[in-house]
Amino acid sequence: AQSVTQPDIHITVSEGASLELRCNYSYGATPYLFWYVQSPGQGLQLLLKYFSGDTLVQGIKGFEAEFKRSQSSFNLRKPSVHWSDAAEYFCAVGAPSGGGADGLTFGKGTHLIIQP
Amino acid sequence: DTAVSQTPKYLVTQMGNDKSIKCEQNLGHDTMYWYKQDSKKFLKIMFSYNNKELIINETVPNRFSPKSPDKAHLNLHINSLELGDSAVYFCAASRGQAFYNEQFFGPGTRLTVL
């Protein structure tokens, strides 16, 4: 079965600084990878996704992520964060779950705090 | 227009009660889901429902039952509520299979069982 690890529970970044959120996955084949953002009291919104092709994918709100097969990673980056980026970020892998519900498998999330 | 909506937004109830959460999507998508987000924000899929085929995550108690009156709705019924059912429940919808299609999430329903 697939799994996702987000090693950082909390990250604090100064406004205007760069950001990198880590994500490692475990899956036997080529995974479908996603980053979602959850603002306080809101549902999840898709930032970007990777299926195949160019390993650097661009998303909404100035985010990008790079797929590195050799490291089983899909880290999310942003060159300059804004206070409005404060939220919970979830990495997820999509894969057929072998008879289970074919939803996404999520990491436990990284809580991003922006310092003024 | 809200793509995926849920009602109610908050639900507070006593242990042992039966309650329902409604979900509606206006995207025309054919697959809908229910997720549970626990107090540590861990999201786990409970059900997926596609073309009247229900797939249940094996860890979900049978007190939970999704009901789909039509393609745009997937309601969640919970019987004999327990303290451990307190969580935020998210409905989602996608076109086709979830593992490669974007899922659109509702705003969530915060269930508190006293």
Side-chain angles (χ1 to χ4, degrees):
Chain A
Q2 62 272 19
S3 66
V4 178
T5 302
Q6 293 180 247
D8 303 305
I9 298 174
H10 300 278
I11 281 191
T12 301
V13 177
S14 297
E15 190 169 13
S18 63
L19 170 70
E20 182 169 32
L21 302 182
R22 295 184 291 165
C23 172
N24 293 97
Y25 68 90
S26 173
Y27 183 61
T30 300
Y32 298 87
L33 294 162
F34 305 80
W35 273 100
Y36 280 83
V37 60
Q38 183 181 23
S39 298
Q42 303 295 316
L44 282 76
Q45 181 185 23
L46 180 68
L47 285 175
L48 46 77
K49 59 188 178 184
Y50 172 78
F51 295 162
S52 64
D54 192 345
T55 56
L56 184 64
V57 292
Q58 302 297 320
I60 62 171
K61 305 185 181 187
F63 286 92
E64 66 178 27
E66 186 172 13
F67 171 63
K68 292 186 178 179
R69 184 187 299 276
S70 61
Q71 298 176 18
S72 297
S73 69
F74 188 56
N75 294 347
L76 181 72
R77 301 195 294 246
K78 187 170 184 178
S80 176
V81 297
H82 185 260
W83 64 267
S84 60
D85 293 323
E88 195 82 22
Y89 290 80
F90 292 93
C91 182
V93 60
S97 51
D102 281 342
L104 297 177
T105 298
F106 284 87
K108 294 193 175 183
T110 296
H111 184 63
L112 176 63
I113 301 165
I114 307 295
Q115 281 184 336
Chain B
D1 281 347
T2 303
V4 182
S5 60
Q6 295 178 228
T7 53
K9 191 170 176 65
Y10 300 96
L11 182 55
V12 181
T13 188
Q14 298 288 329
M15 212 165 43
N17 285 349
D18 302 336
K19 290 293 178 185
S20 295
I21 305 172
K22 294 185 178 181
C23 176
E24 177 180 2
Q25 57 106 354
N26 63 9
L27 298 165
H29 288 348
D30 53 4
T31 308
M32 296 182 73
Y33 312 83
W34 278 104
Y35 286 85
K36 179 180 179 181
Q37 186 177 45
D38 64 22
S39 59
K40 296 184 179 179
K41 301 232 169 179
F42 186 46
L43 265 166
K44 192 166 185 180
I45 187 156
M46 302 174 71
F47 306 99
S48 68
Y49 191 85
N50 176 277
N51 290 328
K52 300 191 178 182
E53 181 186 10
L54 177 65
I55 303 175
I56 302 171
N57 187 306
E58 60 186 9
T59 65
V60 175
N62 58 14
R63 298 180 295 102
F64 290 78
S65 57
K67 300 269 191 317
S68 180
D70 55 58
K71 191 177 169 182
H73 296 83
L74 184 66
N75 304 325
L76 183 65
H77 299 273
I78 316 170
N79 295 326
S80 302
L81 277 156
E82 299 178 358
L83 294 177
D85 298 333
S86 295
V88 181
Y89 292 85
F90 288 97
C91 177
S94 70
R95 189 194 309 277
Q97 300 268 340
F99 58 84
Y100 56 80
N101 285 312
E102 176 179 359
Q103 289 190 53
F104 295 86
F105 285 80
T109 296
R110 181 174 294 277
L111 171 65
T112 303
V113 182
L114 303 174

